[in-house]
Amino acid sequence: MADNNILNEGISMYHKGDFNGALAFFLSLPEDSEINNIELAYYIGLCYAKLEYYDDALLYLEQVVTGGLELERVLQCRYVLAVIYANRGRKKLAEFELNKLLESGYRPASVYTSLAYVAWKQNDVDRSLEFYKKAIELEPDNPTALNGMGYVLACENRDLTKALSFCKRALDKRPDSAACMDSVGWVYLKLGLMNDAFKYLTQAQEKLPDNEEIAEHLRIAQEN
């Protein structure tokens, strides 16, 4: 097996959260270095994904999935690919990768939350809720599943009391999450409790001032 010690400096930067530095390091390596090219593609793909350069990330992560690296990393890359595909509107590819993950038994609660998100983006509300329900059955304290379930219920004006409970449980798990703050505020808005709605939506916008969805929720609250 090729000696990958040369990658250690970049791997260290990656684990410290210096994704720009790690990416620059990995890309600077000469092509004839004694390294495993799939291993290198794995880290370059993850760096691009962290930096939200998704088109570039896809090129490298797809190499890992087809290149026969160790199974755990292939599964990890499939999951990242699925998230990218979903965010880019490539829903069929996202579902393909997620179903492959379910077949493997990889992180089923996380996979179900991703399938729920894809179904929601396809306007398949009942299927989305069913996937969130499965994720919560597997991991009752999964904040992504709790928040997703509550948010979809609120958007559909279904059982708003239960929606608030789900979203508050998610916020308890992730008190600094702008997405969870937004969801709680959105449910309060749907319930007509405007003071509480403003409180949480304002906190969410302070966390993510450029987020269009949070801004839209706050605009709706201001008009009511």
Side-chain angles (χ1 to χ4, degrees):
M1 182 174 178
D3 182 1
N4 286 318
N5 289 337
I6 193 171
L7 297 179
N8 287 346
E9 182 179 343
I11 293 171
S12 177
M13 285 188 281
Y14 176 84
H15 288 302
K16 291 176 181 177
D18 181 7
F19 305 121
N20 278 305
L23 179 61
F25 174 82
F26 292 130
L27 292 175
S28 73
L29 294 174
E31 292 184 4
D32 60 351
S33 298
E34 291 187 7
I35 57 175
N36 183 318
N37 288 329
I38 299 300
E39 179 90 354
L40 181 59
Y42 169 77
Y43 282 107
I44 291 176
L46 291 182
C47 285
Y48 275 130
K50 290 289 188 180
L51 295 168
E52 300 184 1
Y53 298 142
Y54 294 132
D55 288 336
D56 294 305
L58 289 174
L59 292 174
Y60 288 93
L61 295 173
E62 286 168 353
Q63 288 181 43
V64 178
V65 169
T66 59
L69 199 66
E70 65 181 77
L71 180 60
E72 181 66 21
R73 288 188 174 179
V74 169
L75 296 175
Q76 181 188 3
C77 288
R78 279 197 185 279
Y79 184 76
V80 177
L81 281 172
V83 172
I84 294 173
Y85 287 144
N87 286 329
R88 301 304 293 271
R90 300 167 72 178
K91 305 300 189 301
K92 293 298 182 183
L93 285 172
E95 286 186 339
F96 173 82
E97 297 293 352
L98 291 167
N99 284 322
K100 285 288 186 182
L101 291 170
L102 280 182
E103 290 172 11
S104 74
Y106 177 81
R107 294 175 58 187
S110 295
V111 173
Y112 278 124
T113 60
S114 297
L115 283 167
Y117 173 78
V118 172
W120 170 246
K121 286 297 184 180
Q122 293 175 326
N123 297 315
D124 192 341
V125 176
D126 290 337
R127 192 160 173 251
S128 177
L129 291 172
E130 184 61 31
F131 282 136
Y132 279 129
K133 180 181 177 182
K134 287 181 178 179
I136 293 169
E137 287 173 351
L138 288 166
E139 291 184 18
D141 292 327
N142 185 300
T144 303
L146 292 168
N147 191 60
M149 174 72 92
Y151 183 77
V152 172
L153 287 172
C155 287
E156 297 300 308
N157 291 306
R158 298 189 191 181
D159 202 338
L160 294 177
T161 301
K162 186 177 289 186
L164 183 61
S165 175
F166 281 124
C167 291
K168 280 198 161 185
R169 284 169 60 193
L171 186 59
D172 285 342
K173 297 296 178 184
R174 290 184 179 167
D176 294 325
S177 168
C180 292
M181 293 173 191
D182 173 66
S183 295
V184 172
W186 183 237
V187 181
Y188 275 129
L189 188 153
K190 292 282 187 171
L191 287 165
L193 301 172
M194 302 312 296
N195 288 337
D196 291 312
F198 274 116
K199 172 186 172 182
Y200 287 99
L201 292 174
T202 300
Q203 288 176 357
Q205 190 174 58
E206 288 172 353
K207 288 275 186 182
L208 289 178
D210 297 324
N211 185 280
E212 294 181 3
E213 188 170 25
I214 294 172
E216 175 66 9
H217 291 166
L218 193 56
R219 182 191 65 78
I220 294 170
Q222 291 166 342
E223 291 179 352
N224 284 274

